[in-house]
Amino acid sequence: MQLLDGKIISAMIKDELKIEIEKRIAAGQKVPHLAAVLVGNNPASETYVFSKVKSCEEVGMDSTLIRLPDSATEAEVLSTVEKLNNDTAIDGFIVQLPLPAQISEKKVLKAINPDKDVDGFHEVNIGRLALGLPGFVPATPMGIIEMLKRANVETAGKHCVVLGRSHIVGMPISLLLMQNTNPGNCTVTICHSRTAGLETILQSADIIVAAIGKPRFVKANMVKQGAVVIDVGINRIADPSRKSGHRIVGDVDFDEVAPKCSFITPVPGGVGLMTIASLMLNTLKAVQINKY
Ligand code: GUN
């Protein structure tokens, strides 16, 4: 079993980005600038957004965090998006999800200029992804592809089973893995809450991408010997032995499943770190596209 180590791979990407940004500065070009909009006080969202801002600093990018209260109206969020669309200092921005219930996620995502949409969630970018056209690819699936590429994992002709059909992970990773690219060229099966015979389907998978948000759902008996297992889950479970009272586990029962795998991503220290590195890569791409 080989660990697909998000710490090592994301550190490599960040080092490469740092060099690229130093080169831009030396050439008198603009320093990439990412903005993040955080509405409310969701603790998980706060953690994610703070990590994104910190990573910008690490690679030498500029960042701006815009906080709006939990009580913010849809009009206020849309007006913030519009300002960022028109602000030439900002190369790319994200609106952290989920949003409070009074705000339509659909409307907010649609309002983002697709050429500043470094999360790749705008319908234009999803359309570009589906057609294999250049655009922003959502950070988590992009991070998974980058991991597979850098670890030289063979994907062509493999049966990949994706657990989950979310717009953020399940749907875009399925599109990426079926494309005629490397990594890619998989035969993809997407499973979800209404899939019949899930265990049998999983047992036939050469590659599993688990993105359902169910702690340690994937067990050893569901996994074929030698499978590649990508665990996208970040689930908080109670753990009285910890000072914090909790710990983070994935959608895969790592201890049971790892001995059967050719490659597996740990949680924490796997895909999560790749998501942030990919967002930084997208922000560099944004400054190159927008040329302010
Ligand atoms: N919520 C969970 N993951 C993400 C992400 O990648 N981007 C944003 N904006 N919100 C999220």
Side-chain angles (χ1 to χ4, degrees):
M1 183 273 291
Q2 232 177 300
L3 209 59
L4 288 170
D5 191 326
K7 255 189 226 165
I8 294 175
I9 304 174
S10 68
M12 273 166 58
I13 294 172
K14 282 187 186 169
D15 285 346
E16 291 163 11
L17 276 167
K18 212 170 160 181
I19 293 168
E20 205 54 46
I21 290 160
E22 280 164 4
K23 272 195 214 158
R24 287 187 69 84
I25 294 170
Q29 292 172 310
K30 186 178 182 306
V31 174
H33 191 156
L34 173 75
V37 180
L38 176 59
V39 188
N41 308 299
N42 178 320
S45 292
E46 282 191 344
T47 307
Y48 296 145
V49 170
F50 293 151
S51 304
K52 290 170 186 178
V53 168
K54 189 170 148 257
S55 294
C56 282
E57 282 171 23
E58 282 169 11
V59 300
M61 286 187 189
D62 290 334
S63 64
T64 297
L65 171 60
I66 299 166
R67 294 203 72 151
L68 297 174
D70 203 44
S71 58
T73 62
E74 191 173 274
E76 282 166 337
V77 178
L78 289 172
S79 147
T80 305
V81 166
E82 204 42 44
K83 273 188 206 137
L84 292 168
N85 282 341
N86 296 321
D87 186 344
T88 54
I90 304 295
D91 301 294
F93 66 97
I94 64 161
V95 178
Q96 188 65 27
L97 305 177
L99 290 167
Q102 73 275 17
I103 301 164
S104 158
E105 217 163 88
K106 242 188 202 167
K107 273 195 203 165
V108 170
L109 294 181
K110 200 175 164 71
I112 297 173
N113 173 355
D115 292 333
K116 288 193 169 190
D117 172 36
V118 284
D119 255 337
F121 293 167
H122 192 283
E123 59 197 40
V124 164
N125 281 316
I126 298 290
R128 288 168 173 161
L129 172 62
L131 294 173
L133 298 171
F136 291 112
V137 175
T140 302
M142 182 176 163
I144 295 170
I145 294 292
E146 200 61 37
M147 249 181 166
L148 295 170
K149 194 191 286 179
R150 289 182 187 240
N152 280 318
V153 176
E154 182 59 74
T155 59
K158 305 292 184 190
H159 181 208
C160 176
V161 174
V162 176
L163 285 184
R165 55 182 159 184
S166 73
H167 294 170
I168 294 182
V169 185
M171 178 266 286
I173 193 64
S174 304
L175 290 170
L176 286 165
L177 284 170
M178 72 164 197
Q179 284 176 354
N180 185 5
T181 49
N182 182 30
N185 282 312
C186 288
T187 302
V188 179
T189 303
I190 305 170
C191 297
H192 46 75
S193 52
R194 305 295 291 270
T195 295
L198 179 67
E199 283 197 25
T200 311
I201 297 169
L202 273 174
Q203 283 157 359
S204 76
D206 303 304
I207 302 170
I208 295 172
V209 178
I212 45 172
K214 291 191 176 178
R216 293 183 292 205
F217 176 87
V218 177
K219 302 289 183 193
N221 68 318
M222 304 175 188
V223 178
K224 184 163 85 174
Q225 190 70 38
V228 175
V229 174
I230 309 292
D231 189 353
V232 186
I234 301 178
N235 309 292
R236 188 187 272 208
I237 60 161
D239 184 350
S241 73
R242 300 273 176 110
K243 211 160 84 184
S244 63
H246 62 80
R247 72 189 162 104
I248 301 295
V249 297
D251 290 349
V252 176
D253 192 325
F254 185 90
D255 294 341
E256 263 194 25
V257 171
K260 290 185 89 172
C261 296
S262 55
F263 293 94
I264 186 166
T265 62
V267 177
V271 173
L273 296 169
M274 295 301 298
T275 298
I276 297 181
S278 302
L279 179 66
M280 306 289 108
L281 284 171
N282 273 346
T283 307
L284 176 63
K285 188 168 167 176
V287 79
Q288 290 163 341
I289 291 174
N290 292 326
K291 294 197 180 72
Y292 291 134

